[in-house]
Amino acid sequence: MAVSWVERVASFLRSPSRFLASTTAEVFLVELLREQRDERVTYDVKLTMLSPLCEHPTLLCPSACTGEETCLELMSVFSHCPPKYTEFRCQLLLTLTTVLVSTGCVSAHSHASRDFLELLLKLAQDTYYDPADVPSALRSTRAAACECLRELEACCPSLLSQHLELLNGLRQQENPRHHQALSGLYAVVLRNGVHLLARQAGAGPEGLKALLGGNAAVAWEAEPDSPALTDRAAPLPSVLGPSGLGPTLQTGPDCKELRSVLSSLLEESYLLTPLSQAALLHALTEVVAMVSGVSPAIFKAQLLRLLGTSKVCLFHCTLLMKAAFTDSLFSAEDEAFLLKRLVALCQHPQMSTAAQLFYTDCLVHFPENRPIGAADGGEALPVLLTPRLAASLVPTVFDEPATMLARLNVSALVHLEEHGAREGGAAGGGLAYLWEHLLLRLHVVEHGGDRAAVVTFFRASFLFLCHFGHVERHAADLRRRLCALYLRHCRLAPHVLNLADRAQDGPVRPGWAVALLRSLQGAAVSAGGDLAAVSQKDLHWHLRVLARVAEEGQIGQGSAVDFLFAVATAASPPSRNEDWRLGSDLLAVCRHLLAHPGLDALLCPLADVLQHVARHHGDTDVRDHARLYYSLLTALSREKLAGVLANGGGGANGGRQDNKRALSAMVVESQDLTSALTIHKARTPVFHLVAKDRAGGWAEPTPAPEDDEAAAAGTDPGAPDADVLSSYRSQLLSSGAAAEIALSYELRHLDVGPAGFDRLFSLRLHFEPSAGRFAALADVCVPRLFREGASAAPPAVTLTLRPRAPYPGTLRCSAVFTAQDELTWHAALPDVHVAFRQLFKPLPVPASWGPALRLRAFERLWDEFCSGGDGGSVGEGGGGDASPDRASSLFCGRLGEAELEALLEEHFAPFRVADPGDATGHRVLLFIPPGSHVLLRIRPQEDAVQFHMATDNWRLLPHVNDFLLSVTDWEARNGVDS
């Protein structure tokens, strides 16, 4: 069993969807919890079985109700687990936290969350003054409890705000082993409590004192409107953002308690690990930023240690403090020292590349004490970063690509700060050095650099243009060199075009991208002088470049059309005339030319190109599209042609066209036609199936046609019992309708559904049984469905199910239909749940049987199921040894005589077997397809009603018990356990 569970958990973690295809999440969760309660299972296996709940809590607990029930079960397991199993207890606490938070159960209305919080606080209060006396198991469990409390507080702010005094006392008494966990927890709770208090209108020093002295009982015995009693809240936003705006708590100078707490936390912070120190300082910085009565000078004693730190997390926290308090805490000398240290760390050889990039980014976002101008969160160098100080940050060819780009950006900003945005600044050595560095990168690309070198060069070119695009001689030189690079390596066309696109959309000087595209057009057209010498791949890239250039209305296209005609009429090599890809690229250029503003001057030559392609190209698809373009060009006016192209998704947007991908790469079909031929996906369900009320009566079984002699053999009241069962079994095996269940539903719109689906036509419903409980169902067609209020009644839908096992199941439903907008839609429907009671059928006996033979069959089946007779399973044709699946049981319920009669009439009327000679009890025979039986003898007693059960499938007893509980309202009546 242990090995099988380890394998099952591993299978679930590998692919939850594939694992749940053979079962359901509900069944798997029940099995997991049952095994957790089983004392025979080892705790190593139980530890493994917690992994599904930790990794996929919302999959196994899809609702808050399920999550709460699961947590209650797990807390019961925790209470019975011996303390020596430390690892399991700690993992169980983490699992409980994960399920509670993920399913949204953390609220005052949840018994599970209140009990779990009480448990965690009790575990955290097990304080010992002598660490030697504390068992290691208890120390680990306490540490896990503190981590769980911090996670709950982070996900549900102010959850522990009523316990600040308790947590502070634990922090002060705690030995060093748990001091870090409790300090971090206390800081988070304090920050959240102050944040919510500052957001309340009229809050002042009294509220702060009440917050710091809060020590409510564990079970949330606080004020009804306390934040701790509210439902789950989202994490609070940081008050140290770029805007620096956050709630402020006006307390005046009377903040002795808060200052004392902050001083104590700061004095002990050096005992924590760097990450814990950073988290603590971040929370305390937010507290001081929100409370006006506490001076930032409280951090002064920590600055000496923080300014000299080599830890990234602590340095980042220092910068956050500087951004929050500026010259209230940091002097001009501190700022200069911090800036010099940043420059040193950016190039320190012991720092990783990621750390160097972080420090470089801090330079361009440095929080100055008195910034000049508003940077609006963008990049701007501090005033104290002089060219002499930044001289060591210039890029080199030996730098990592990311490091080189970051240093290039900083060096460019330093040069602009020194010389200003004017071309005269080019005389400085900084710009000349950066230009030479860019040319070195270009040289690497020209001589076969790898992809990383190519990408780095084009990114560096974009950065250079962003900063120095106004320097005309360098911009023109770069444009010329890029065209030469393209002619030498046509495969780099995507990179060159992407640079043009980014330059056109970005902060580069307007007009540079258009000039680059014009130069690329000339370079591509110049290659057409000798097409025989141009390779197929290079010609493909030339056409791609011309297609992009054709999107610019400012660029003339006469030379491009001449190039297209030369390509279309070229006969060498012959394979080009039959190449679909080449024809597609050629027509892509033609299509962009159809939308060009200068189309009037291109009309005749473009028509010649299209006509030649339509007549002579070797590919049929290319010829058809060329013929279509020729028809559009010669038959439509400019306005109509623009409208057709715009409807096809090729409308110009600022001189560029954003075409949607279509099945054909050469033309984007009309959106109306595409929509009409596409099955659209509805985001939410539109309608659902509503079960009809079966109170009007249960359908009697439809007996199969049978031979007269066979019927006569079973109609003799004096026939032996063996003949009665033999006749029934032969009838059951020969009748296919006995294994089918007909369920009736109505198709109705959802009360709250998407708009535009009030009138639906030609609905086709598809059903997919889950877990293989039922045989495949045929699709159901419904002519129409109108929203309620129309004259037509809701359409009826009858589902004929053939169960493969006598258990309840679920049908996943979907539908394809036509809406009133004449589009075809596909929508998922809410699942149809087939309950256990819906599987009941009367005994499928021959139609000629009377009450006496039905009663005899009941008694014979009862004797077999209870005594283990020699009859085989009824659904298997009889004969053989006693089936091990047979079982009997007893269910008791407190029902009065009138209540019993009402229950029999409402739930068991079609299944009752009359016995005129027995006035003390009732007999009920349930047939459950495909071949199982449940027999009931219902006998009223003095203080209860006894339901004696017998069945040929013991696995049905839990379902029968649940059914009887529901119909007798057992829990509400507080009856005795069955």
Side-chain angles (χ1 to χ4, degrees):
M1 177 63 72
V3 175
S4 65
W5 266 109
V6 172
E7 294 177 351
R8 292 188 68 189
V9 170
S11 176
F12 174 84
L13 295 178
R14 281 195 301 268
S15 177
S17 58
R18 182 180 301 175
F19 180 86
L20 294 179
S22 59
T23 182
T24 61
E26 180 181 1
V27 172
F28 185 54
L29 178 62
V30 170
E31 293 175 349
L32 282 175
L33 296 178
R34 184 179 65 244
E35 295 298 321
Q36 289 288 345
R37 295 190 299 267
D38 193 346
E39 297 180 354
R40 296 171 297 180
V41 181
T42 64
Y43 281 94
D44 291 337
V45 177
K46 290 184 178 182
L47 180 64
T48 304
M49 293 167 61
L50 292 177
S51 300
L53 285 170
C54 286
E55 299 294 335
H56 305 278
T58 55
L59 186 61
L60 298 180
C61 304
S63 63
C65 180
T66 307
E68 183 169 0
E69 293 175 357
T70 303
C71 290
L72 291 174
E73 291 284 348
L74 293 178
M75 279 189 285
S76 176
V77 173
F78 184 88
S79 63
H80 291 86
C81 177
K84 63 179 180 179
Y85 298 106
T86 308
E87 186 177 2
F88 174 75
R89 285 165 62 89
C90 295
Q91 186 64 29
L92 190 55
L93 291 177
L94 296 177
T95 303
L96 279 163
T97 305
T98 302
V99 174
L100 277 174
V101 174
S102 300
T103 57
C105 297
V106 185
S107 69
H109 309 292
S110 170
H111 295 286
S113 59
R114 286 184 289 179
D115 293 345
F116 183 56
L117 185 59
E118 179 181 0
L119 172 64
L120 292 177
L121 289 175
K122 285 184 178 179
L123 291 175
Q125 292 180 73
D126 291 336
T127 307
Y128 291 79
Y129 292 98
D130 187 1
D133 297 337
V134 183
S136 59
L138 181 59
R139 290 197 297 267
S140 300
T141 306
R142 291 192 61 206
C146 293
E147 291 298 326
C148 293
L149 285 172
R150 187 170 65 172
E151 186 67 24
L152 287 174
E153 175 64 26
C155 297
C156 306
S158 194
L159 182 68
L160 300 173
S161 61
Q162 301 297 318
H163 311 291
L164 270 176
E165 186 177 7
L166 170 65
L167 296 176
N168 192 29
L170 293 176
R171 181 184 64 82
Q172 294 175 355
Q173 299 175 16
E174 189 50 66
N175 58 71
R177 291 180 180 268
H178 294 143
H179 181 80
Q180 176 170 288
L182 286 170
S183 296
L185 172 61
Y186 183 82
V188 172
V189 177
L190 178 63
R191 179 262 180 192
N192 291 341
V194 172
H195 193 289
L196 290 179
L197 184 64
R199 292 167 57 183
Q200 297 178 8
E206 294 79 9
L208 182 60
K209 290 181 180 179
L211 176 67
L212 295 175
N215 192 12
V218 172
W220 266 322
E221 296 178 2
E223 298 296 330
D225 56 349
S226 171
L229 292 172
T230 58
D231 291 336
R232 180 187 179 190
L236 297 177
S238 175
V239 299
L240 303 180
S243 61
L245 299 178
T248 302
L249 182 63
Q250 301 295 336
T251 60
D254 189 14
C255 293
K256 295 181 180 179
E257 295 85 353
L258 180 59
R259 280 196 293 269
S260 175
V261 169
L262 295 177
S263 299
S264 175
L265 288 170
L266 290 173
E267 289 173 0
E268 300 167 354
S269 63
Y270 74 94
L271 298 173
L272 312 182
T273 62
L275 285 176
S276 298
Q277 286 187 56
L280 177 69
L281 292 173
H282 190 190
L284 298 186
T285 301
E286 292 189 274
V287 171
V288 175
M290 288 185 288
V291 180
S292 59
V294 179
S295 172
I298 197 172
F299 294 104
K300 200 68 177 178
Q302 310 297 324
L303 278 188
L304 182 60
R305 178 167 57 89
L306 293 177
L307 290 176
T309 182
S310 61
K311 302 297 182 181
V312 174
C313 55
L314 291 177
F315 201 93
H316 180 248
C317 188
T318 306
L319 292 177
L320 287 177
M321 295 171 59
K322 190 175 188 310
F325 306 125
T326 62
D327 55 357
S328 299
L329 179 61
F330 292 82
S331 63
E333 292 77 11
D334 294 336
E335 185 176 50
F337 176 79
L338 192 60
L339 195 59
K340 292 179 181 179
R341 183 161 180 78
L342 260 179
V343 174
L345 291 173
C346 287
Q347 51 188 326
H348 198 285
Q350 295 297 325
M351 292 294 169
S352 63
T353 302
Q356 290 181 1
L357 291 176
F358 167 76
Y359 292 126
T360 306
D361 187 72
C362 291
L363 276 179
V364 296
H365 296 91
F366 187 79
E368 296 182 89
N369 284 350
R370 300 185 181 278
I372 301 176
D376 296 331
E379 294 182 346
L381 290 180
V383 176
L384 296 178
L385 185 62
T386 61
R388 180 183 296 275
L389 182 60
S392 58
L393 296 180
V394 293
T396 66
V397 293
F398 302 105
D399 292 334
E400 295 277 345
T403 304
M404 187 278 297
L405 293 173
R407 292 187 175 185
L408 175 64
N409 185 40
V410 172
S411 299
L413 290 173
V414 170
H415 178 81
L416 289 177
E417 289 288 338
E418 181 69 15
H419 299 282
R422 51 188 171 81
E423 191 169 351
L431 178 57
Y433 178 85
L434 297 179
W435 175 249
E436 290 297 330
H437 177 78
L438 189 63
L439 293 184
L440 286 176
R441 293 284 175 179
L442 176 61
H443 181 76
V444 173
V445 174
E446 289 177 339
H447 291 78
D450 58 3
R451 177 177 174 80
V454 172
V455 173
T456 302
F457 164 71
F458 280 98
R459 289 180 176 176
S461 300
F462 177 73
L463 280 176
F464 186 87
L465 290 171
C466 289
H467 296 298
F468 305 111
H470 59 280
V471 183
E472 182 59 34
R473 64 188 184 90
H474 287 312
D477 194 8
L478 180 60
R479 186 167 58 245
R480 181 182 58 80
R481 292 177 182 273
L482 288 174
C483 291
L485 177 66
Y486 164 69
L487 286 178
R488 190 176 293 110
H489 302 285
C490 293
R491 60 182 176 82
L492 300 180
H495 297 280
V496 180
L497 295 179
N498 182 64
L499 177 61
D501 293 340
R502 301 289 77 78
Q504 195 169 32
D505 297 337
V508 181
R509 191 185 67 169
W512 185 89
V514 175
L516 174 63
L517 291 174
R518 185 180 288 110
S519 300
L520 288 174
Q521 181 194 49
V525 170
S526 65
D530 186 9
L531 285 177
V534 180
S535 67
Q536 195 83 349
K537 291 184 178 179
D538 290 350
L539 187 57
H540 162 72
W541 290 120
H542 291 330
L543 292 174
R544 288 283 299 273
V545 168
L546 292 178
R548 172 62 184 91
V549 175
E551 298 179 14
E552 299 297 331
Q554 308 172 28
I555 302 177
Q557 301 295 327
S559 59
V561 177
D562 295 338
F563 179 80
L564 294 181
F565 187 79
V567 173
T569 57
S572 177
S575 59
R576 288 185 177 176
N577 196 38
E578 299 177 358
D579 185 20
W580 178 88
R581 183 179 298 276
L582 181 61
S584 172
D585 295 334
L586 191 147
L587 289 179
V589 182
C590 294
R591 188 182 189 283
H592 289 297
L593 291 175
L594 291 176
H596 196 272
L599 180 61
D600 292 341
L602 307 174
L603 184 60
C604 291
L606 183 58
D608 293 340
V609 173
L610 293 173
Q611 191 173 25
H612 189 277
V613 174
R615 290 180 178 180
H616 302 291
H617 199 277
D619 187 84
T620 304
D621 192 22
V622 174
R623 291 199 307 268
D624 291 342
H625 283 84
R627 193 175 298 112
L628 171 63
Y629 288 164
Y630 181 81
S631 301
L632 294 176
L633 178 63
T634 57
L636 297 181
S637 63
R638 285 286 306 277
E639 293 76 12
K640 290 185 178 181
L641 181 59
V644 170
L645 295 176
N647 290 334
N653 182 12
R656 296 176 55 190
Q657 300 171 345
D658 300 324
N659 293 338
K660 296 181 180 179
R661 185 177 297 276
L663 295 179
S664 173
M666 290 176 291
V667 61
V668 181
E669 299 294 341
S670 170
Q671 287 186 354
D672 295 336
L673 179 60
T674 303
S675 298
L677 298 178
T678 301
I679 297 180
H680 303 270
K681 179 73 173 181
R683 296 184 178 180
T684 58
V686 179
F687 47 85
H688 62 151
L689 289 171
V690 180
K692 284 188 176 180
D693 187 9
R694 300 184 66 170
W698 296 70
E700 291 294 333
T702 304
E706 56 188 48
D707 187 75
D708 293 338
E709 288 81 8
T715 58
D716 182 10
D721 290 344
D723 294 340
V724 172
L725 286 186
S726 177
S727 176
Y728 165 61
R729 287 169 177 147
S730 62
Q731 159 72 11
L732 181 62
L733 292 175
S734 62
S735 175
E740 294 181 350
I741 301 173
L743 302 180
S744 298
Y745 296 88
E746 288 183 349
L747 198 60
R748 296 179 178 270
H749 279 87
L750 290 171
D751 294 336
V752 180
F757 296 99
D758 293 341
R759 301 172 67 85
L760 309 178
F761 305 91
S762 301
L763 298 91
R764 188 176 185 88
L765 308 180
H766 177 72
F767 302 91
E768 183 180 352
S770 63
R773 294 289 172 83
F774 306 100
L777 279 75
D779 291 350
V780 178
C781 297
V782 178
R784 59 184 176 273
L785 174 63
F786 298 157
R787 185 171 287 277
E788 297 178 1
S791 57
V797 175
T798 301
L799 301 182
T800 302
L801 305 180
R802 181 175 287 271
R804 292 176 175 172
Y807 311 115
T810 302
L811 301 176
R812 291 189 288 268
C813 310
S814 60
V816 177
F817 54 89
T818 301
Q820 57 200 40
D821 55 3
E822 300 183 358
L823 299 179
T824 304
W825 293 83
H826 175 273
L829 277 65
D831 292 344
V832 175
H833 301 281
V834 181
F836 183 62
R837 67 179 67 193
Q838 293 179 284
L839 303 177
F840 298 167
K841 294 190 67 175
L843 190 67
V845 297
S848 57
W849 281 25
L853 288 179
R854 295 173 186 264
L855 177 60
R856 187 179 301 177
F858 177 92
E859 297 295 343
R860 184 71 180 91
L861 291 173
W862 182 275
D863 293 339
E864 282 193 2
F865 297 166
C866 293
S867 61
D870 59 356
S873 177
V874 175
E876 299 173 357
D881 299 333
S883 172
D885 292 340
R886 296 170 181 170
S888 59
S889 183
L890 175 63
F891 180 91
C892 297
R894 292 182 180 177
L895 294 172
E897 181 177 353
E899 294 173 329
L900 177 60
E901 290 297 332
L903 181 144
L904 292 171
E905 183 64 28
E906 181 179 358
H907 298 286
F908 297 114
F911 318 109
R912 297 179 64 176
V913 178
D915 182 8
D918 188 358
T920 61
H922 308 275
R923 293 171 174 79
V924 175
L925 201 160
L926 305 175
F927 175 74
I928 305 176
S932 300
H933 302 74
V934 175
L935 282 64
L936 301 176
R937 286 183 183 268
I938 306 175
R939 295 175 178 175
Q941 301 296 330
E942 294 182 359
D943 57 345
V945 175
Q946 296 181 352
F947 293 79
H948 296 269
M949 295 178 282
T951 179
D952 53 356
N953 187 350
W954 63 268
R955 299 173 187 83
L956 295 176
L957 290 178
H959 299 286
V960 178
N961 185 72
D962 293 341
F963 170 69
L964 293 177
L965 281 173
S966 64
V967 299
T968 58
D969 198 15
W970 185 258
E971 294 181 352
R973 299 175 186 276
N974 297 319
V976 183
D977 293 339
S978 59

